[in-house]
Amino acid sequence: MNSKLANITIIGLLALITAFGPVFALAANSDTADSSQIQFAAVTVNGRTLSGPNSSAQRLNGRILVPVAAIAQALGDVVTMSSASRSVSVRRSNGVVAELNARVGQVRENGSAILSVANASEINFPPNTYEFMLPIEIAASLFEVSIRYESDKNIVTITRGIPASSANQTKNARGIADIQQIDYEYNLNRYSSTAAHSLVLLGAGRLADGRFSFSSNASSSSRGISVQNATFNLQRPNGQHITAGDMGTGGTLQFMAANIRGLSVSTPVGDLTVTGFGGRTYSGVVLPFTNEFSGEYFGIRKLARYDTNIFGAFVTGRSDVFGQNSRKVTFSGGAMRFSSANRNGTFGTGNVSYESERIRLQSDIAYGIFDRLDNSTRRTAGAGTAVDFTGTFQLREDLAVQARYTNISRNFLSPQSGVREPLDMKAAGVTWSPAKWLSTSINASISRRPGDNTQNNKFVTAAFAITPSAAAPRFHFSHTQSSTSQIRSASFTTLNASKDFSRVRLYANATRIKNIGAALVNAQFGANFSVNDTNAIEISQGFGNRRSYNGQIDWRTSNLLKQRLSFSAGAGYSYSPASGFSPYQRLAASVKLPRQASLQVNYYNTNNGATVLVSLRGTLFRKREAQAFLDSPTSEINSFGKISGRVYQDVDQDGKFDPSVDKPQSDVKVRVDGNRYVVSDENGIYQFESITSGDHEVYLDLLSVRADLTLLSNAAERTKLRPGHTANQDFRLVRTGRISGRVWLDTNENGRFDEGEIPLADVRVVTGSGRDTLTDADGSFTIADLPPGEHVFLLDEKTLPEKMVSAQKPLAVQAFAGRETSEINLAVINIPAEVKKFPAKQP
């Protein structure tokens, strides 16, 4: 039994020696070391506490040792140790290689020396890398990290870059809908004794899983209040698009184009998009008015505005041909039915468009059955067709040709008359720019209304522009010759010229109009003077034939009242023998108001009376993060979350906010992902809304923090935000501490700065937390803004004079909140002269 007990005891001792070899080795080199001095501390790396064997820090004889292999694994670095060469190499996760050579006492980074240390011979290199321990001042340089020992918690904190956040996340309560933003625009137009008002509202928000927007336009006049346009749009993540109210139909199908009041729904089906719509539209035509009993014709009357039922559906798609994304073909096809008292129709239509680098082609074709009632009370019916071909050809970089051919049969109808009714048209144009300063164009068109021989319009326009450098004059000329059913021959000619100087711009305009009667010619000459950066004056004088004249003078100023007010005033006149002399005055002002609002007022006064135009626009309601919500794809709006927290001074340093003790910090900027920021309120609370889910970096803008405060928590936190959740992240601040001392040559090596001893200037003092400074001419140094806790100080020996070394091991110094720790003495001694001893000769 005694033999077995002895064996067990030997094995246990060997295990202890293996486990604590580094500690015993350092203790053996100390005259006062014993086992009672060994203390253990937890290690956190970027917010994560290390666990497992060989993962704790050890405090021995005032020095703190950290486990190298465990730290490297947590940081993603690779460690290689050699006991034979007494060296250790660390390949950091960014590819940088740092190496400690204990024989020469240097840490090198990519071959360059970054730190020199004394007493490197005391470092023990065990056979197993997992047992290797280093003092924190050397580990900080080797791993390029900040290391701080918190004595009150007995924790060694190691940080590199931005650590991961352990912020708590709570589920957000969300209703069926919310409004992000509502904008408005109010307009008042008062002319003489009449006035008209209009109010436009624009808004956006979330409805269920989609994003909606709405707009409305209401007007008021002597005839009452009317809502002219109101539209509601909803976009869903699955690609569906729903529109209700006043809208346009047709999309890429021009023959289905109409303004309706109703409902439209679009949904993707595979690679296609299917759209259906229905509602009512206004035909815009008049009907004969007859007595229904006698049949006597009384004239014509206009129908109710929305007098036509309409519904339809179409499908659109797109495909690539002749290579990926080099050329695109878009196609659409659909059918529509409309009916009213005066016109009915059912037709189908299709569209194909092709686009390449130099060619753009589009073709539309439609066929249907129609009937209508004309002004003679006669109803006609029949089949109708419509075709339209448009092409743009970029023949060369400076030469382009456009052409269009439209043919509408007599019976083809659209739901609306007027501008919506298609016309027969043949058009062509050429644009040529032979030089950068010269461009020319010519366009010609012929159009007529099907079945109406009186509607036959012809236009030809030729133009050229000369735009040389800014110092040379510029010219623009255009001439249009036209022939219509009302005016057989008409023309319109313009000529503009201008010349810019340093503060003056001269210009001249001339026009000639010829339609019915003699041609009207007018020429105007003017100048714009920039008095300074905010004031300008413009003067012009015009001359016309038949002894007509006009002139004006305007003054404009801007950036008044801290760039909130712009103002202009002017006066002018016109004279002709027929109407006599007519003066006018004009005033205009634009004011920037709070809440992103602006007010614009225009006043005109002529012989016919005064006119006042007032426009007020701004925001009624807007959430702080509305812009991010509106700019995000629809598929992401339901993945939004929030990030919130508190910024406070942790007076008792207990890691939690106590309103009776701790102090909230207001007006501190908190940023997310480097661009967006919010400011903490009087309670220290900040909140980001509408943040997309995923990884985010949240950090304080340290320039907005009081100079006497520093962070106890990390300056930046990385959090992985879950959809529909709020991540709660607090930032703890404490009063900073200061540590000061002196570096000198301790000639008598008594550890005190005595009279006659020399202070050393420009010596680099380094802390294990990554701070450093240089001594001044008196050898004094001060490192401020240190967080409370224990900081290790050492001298970078490569900055010492030749043949000098540090007299002591790295020194652990406690920094206290709001206090200065002084009289830290870091002595330097001369390297003792080496005495060589020779063996005595044998007799």
Side-chain angles (χ1 to χ4, degrees):
M1 293 294 294
N2 293 336
S3 175
K4 292 182 178 180
L5 180 60
N7 291 335
I8 293 174
T9 303
I10 293 172
I11 293 174
L13 289 174
L14 289 175
L16 288 174
I17 291 173
T18 302
F20 300 106
V23 179
F24 295 154
L26 285 172
N29 291 322
S30 175
D31 296 335
T32 61
D34 58 62
S35 60
S36 63
Q37 292 179 303
I38 302 174
Q39 299 176 3
F40 297 93
V43 178
T44 63
V45 179
N46 280 349
R48 184 172 66 87
T49 303
L50 301 185
S51 60
N54 302 304
S55 60
S56 298
Q58 301 168 9
R59 183 182 178 95
L60 179 65
N61 297 333
R63 303 187 76 177
I64 301 174
L65 311 176
V66 290
V68 173
I71 295 173
Q73 185 175 8
L75 293 172
D77 299 344
V78 178
V79 173
T80 304
M81 186 196 70
S82 173
S83 300
S85 62
R86 294 185 54 77
S87 65
V88 59
S89 174
V90 174
R91 179 177 291 277
R92 301 171 190 157
S93 56
N94 59 4
V96 176
V97 176
E99 182 182 9
L100 166 65
N101 189 328
R103 290 181 174 176
V104 297
Q106 280 190 345
V107 177
R108 292 181 173 269
E109 186 178 279
N110 284 345
S112 299
I114 60 173
L115 183 68
S116 295
V117 294
N119 303 318
S121 59
E122 298 179 359
I123 300 175
N124 181 50
F125 285 82
N128 192 337
T129 305
Y130 286 96
E131 301 170 3
F132 186 49
M133 309 285 287
L134 273 179
I136 62 173
E137 65 274 10
I138 300 177
S141 178
L142 195 62
F143 287 103
E144 195 182 25
V145 294
S146 172
I147 304 180
R148 181 165 53 93
Y149 175 63
E150 300 181 47
S151 57
D152 57 334
K153 299 179 181 179
N154 196 31
I155 294 177
V156 175
T157 302
I158 300 175
T159 56
R160 176 200 282 174
I162 300 175
S165 171
S166 57
N168 296 324
Q169 296 196 24
T170 57
K171 183 71 174 179
N172 298 327
R174 189 180 70 168
I176 188 65
D178 63 71
I179 296 178
Q180 291 283 331
Q181 179 176 327
I182 299 179
D183 297 327
Y184 68 90
E185 181 178 347
Y186 167 77
N187 294 285
L188 166 66
N189 185 349
R190 183 173 183 84
Y191 179 74
S192 297
S193 59
T194 63
H197 308 261
S198 68
L199 177 63
V200 178
L201 293 177
L202 304 170
R206 180 189 58 82
L207 178 60
D209 64 345
R211 178 169 52 208
F212 73 83
S213 62
F214 68 85
S215 63
S216 65
N217 186 352
S219 62
S220 173
S221 63
S222 58
R223 292 175 293 180
I225 300 176
S226 63
V227 178
Q228 298 175 344
N229 289 288
T231 305
F232 178 89
N233 289 283
L234 176 65
Q235 291 179 303
R236 299 188 60 204
N238 60 3
Q240 289 183 349
H241 190 179
I242 301 172
T243 304
D246 298 297
M247 73 192 81
T249 67
T252 58
L253 295 166
Q254 65 165 304
F255 293 125
M256 291 181 72
N259 292 322
I260 73 169
R261 179 169 291 178
L263 177 69
S264 174
V265 178
S266 296
T267 185
V269 179
D271 294 332
L272 305 176
T273 300
V274 178
T275 303
F277 61 88
R280 293 177 68 84
T281 187
Y282 53 94
S283 62
V285 300
V286 293
L287 285 178
F289 180 30
T290 59
N291 188 302
E292 60 179 320
F293 298 104
S294 64
E296 182 180 358
Y297 176 68
F298 285 96
I300 59 175
R301 66 179 179 184
K302 191 171 184 179
L303 293 180
R305 184 175 183 186
Y306 287 93
D307 60 344
T308 304
N309 296 321
I310 184 172
F311 62 89
F314 59 92
V315 60
T316 61
R318 189 168 186 169
S319 64
D320 300 333
V321 295
F322 306 118
Q324 292 184 350
N325 300 321
S326 58
R327 298 175 175 88
K328 300 285 188 181
V329 172
T330 303
F331 56 88
S332 302
M336 185 168 73
R337 166 71 181 169
F338 62 91
S339 62
S340 66
N342 64 301
R343 52 174 53 191
N344 302 279
T346 302
F347 68 93
T349 180
N351 166 278
V352 177
S353 62
Y354 169 82
E355 180 178 352
S356 68
E357 184 178 352
R358 291 184 174 272
I359 300 175
R360 297 183 62 184
L361 300 174
Q362 179 175 316
S363 62
D364 288 87
I365 185 169
Y367 173 82
I369 305 298
F370 308 89
D371 69 85
R372 63 181 169 185
L373 186 67
D374 58 26
N375 291 341
S376 61
T377 70
R378 184 182 63 180
R379 184 171 292 276
T380 59
T385 59
V387 294
D388 181 87
F389 301 102
T390 304
T392 299
F393 305 88
Q394 192 73 37
L395 301 180
R396 297 186 322 198
E397 185 177 352
D398 60 348
L399 180 62
V401 178
Q402 307 90 30
R404 181 175 183 179
Y405 172 81
T406 306
N407 183 274
I408 310 297
S409 69
R410 181 185 182 90
N411 291 326
F412 190 87
L413 294 177
S414 66
Q416 296 175 276
S417 63
V419 296
R420 290 289 186 181
E421 200 159 21
L423 300 174
D424 275 351
M425 178 178 289
K426 287 80 178 174
V430 178
T431 301
W432 182 39
S433 299
K436 292 183 178 180
W437 52 269
L438 175 62
S439 62
T440 63
S441 65
I442 182 169
N443 297 276
S445 65
I446 300 174
S447 63
R448 68 180 184 87
R449 195 172 300 280
D452 187 354
N453 294 328
T454 63
Q455 297 289 332
N456 196 350
N457 303 316
K458 301 177 182 179
F459 294 89
V460 177
T461 299
F464 72 87
I466 300 175
T467 56
S469 62
R474 300 186 174 195
F475 299 92
H476 182 273
F477 171 83
S478 69
H479 175 76
T480 300
Q481 192 74 32
S482 64
S483 174
T484 65
S485 55
Q486 292 81 15
I487 303 176
R488 291 298 179 185
S489 178
S491 63
F492 180 75
T493 306
T494 64
L495 174 63
N496 303 313
S498 63
K499 175 71 169 66
D500 292 333
F501 299 90
S502 59
R503 286 188 173 271
V504 180
R505 181 175 182 269
L506 302 179
Y507 63 88
N509 303 318
T511 60
R512 180 183 182 275
I513 304 174
K514 174 68 174 70
N515 42 43
I516 299 176
L520 298 178
V521 180
N522 183 72
Q524 187 175 35
F525 304 90
N528 189 311
F529 302 91
S530 294
V531 180
N532 50 41
D533 293 340
T534 59
N535 291 273
I537 297 176
E538 183 174 352
I539 302 175
S540 66
Q541 175 63 48
F543 306 89
N545 56 353
R546 303 177 186 177
R547 293 186 302 160
S548 61
Y549 306 96
N550 64 83
Q552 67 177 17
I553 180 171
D554 285 289
W555 166 64
R556 294 186 297 273
T557 185
S558 60
N559 298 332
L560 300 175
L561 300 178
K562 297 181 179 180
Q563 300 184 352
R564 289 186 172 274
L565 174 64
S566 297
F567 182 82
S568 65
Y573 77 95
S574 63
Y575 170 81
S576 68
S579 58
F581 182 81
S582 177
Y584 68 87
Q585 302 84 37
R586 181 178 64 84
L587 296 173
S590 178
V591 184
K592 294 180 180 179
L593 302 175
R595 296 182 60 84
Q596 299 180 336
S598 64
L599 173 66
Q600 186 167 350
V601 180
N602 291 277
Y603 170 81
Y604 299 89
N605 186 28
T606 66
N607 290 342
N608 297 325
T611 299
V612 178
L613 304 175
V614 179
S615 177
L616 176 64
R617 63 182 64 187
T619 299
L620 285 177
F621 171 80
R622 180 185 176 89
K623 286 190 174 181
R624 183 177 294 175
E625 305 298 336
Q627 196 61 49
F629 174 87
L630 298 175
D631 291 343
S632 299
T634 310
S635 58
E636 294 183 2
I637 62 173
N638 290 295
S639 64
F640 285 142
K642 300 179 181 179
I643 299 176
S644 65
R646 188 190 301 270
V647 183
Y648 67 96
Q649 181 184 348
D650 192 1
V651 177
D652 54 9
Q653 299 184 34
D654 62 351
K656 59 183 179 180
F657 178 72
D658 185 349
S660 63
V661 178
D662 299 328
K663 299 178 180 179
Q665 299 298 304
S666 61
D667 300 324
V668 176
K669 288 183 179 180
V670 184
R671 296 183 179 272
V672 61
D673 297 334
N675 47 9
R676 298 168 58 184
Y677 75 89
V678 294
V679 178
S680 59
D681 61 16
E682 65 275 7
N683 296 315
I685 300 295
Y686 73 91
Q687 178 168 290
F688 292 95
E689 297 182 351
S690 299
I691 303 294
T692 56
S693 59
D695 293 327
H696 296 279
E697 294 176 357
V698 188
Y699 59 93
L700 292 188
D701 187 340
L702 297 179
L703 294 178
S704 64
V705 177
R706 276 172 34 192
D708 63 333
L709 296 179
T710 188
L711 277 161
L712 261 181
S713 54
N714 298 307
E717 300 285 354
R718 180 180 294 126
T719 183
K720 189 174 184 64
L721 183 62
R722 289 181 287 170
H725 284 68
T726 295
N728 301 289
Q729 183 64 63
D730 291 345
F731 289 94
R732 300 163 54 209
L733 298 168
V734 293
R735 293 283 300 276
T736 59
R738 294 163 55 95
I739 295 178
S740 61
R742 171 172 285 154
V743 179
W744 83 101
L745 178 60
D746 191 8
T747 54
N748 57 11
E749 300 184 14
N750 65 352
R752 296 191 304 271
F753 181 63
D754 299 321
E755 185 177 355
E757 292 183 331
I758 302 173
L760 298 178
D762 297 325
V763 176
R764 182 183 177 216
V765 182
V766 184
T767 72
S769 57
R771 303 290 301 277
D772 66 343
T773 188
L774 295 176
T775 58
D776 61 17
D778 294 328
S780 299
F781 69 90
T782 298
I783 297 182
D785 300 332
L786 291 172
E790 192 168 83
H791 299 266
V792 176
F793 280 71
L794 75 154
L795 300 180
D796 186 353
E797 295 193 347
K798 70 176 184 293
T799 62
L800 293 176
E802 292 185 3
K803 297 183 179 181
M804 292 186 186
V805 294
S806 177
Q808 59 193 28
K809 301 173 184 177
L811 184 63
V813 183
Q814 185 76 23
F816 300 95
R819 291 169 50 188
E820 178 174 340
T821 304
S822 58
E823 299 182 2
I824 305 303
N825 295 324
L826 300 177
V828 175
I829 61 175
N830 289 311
I831 298 176
E834 184 178 357
V835 178
K836 294 185 178 181
K837 295 182 179 181
F838 300 95
K841 294 183 179 181
Q842 296 293 331

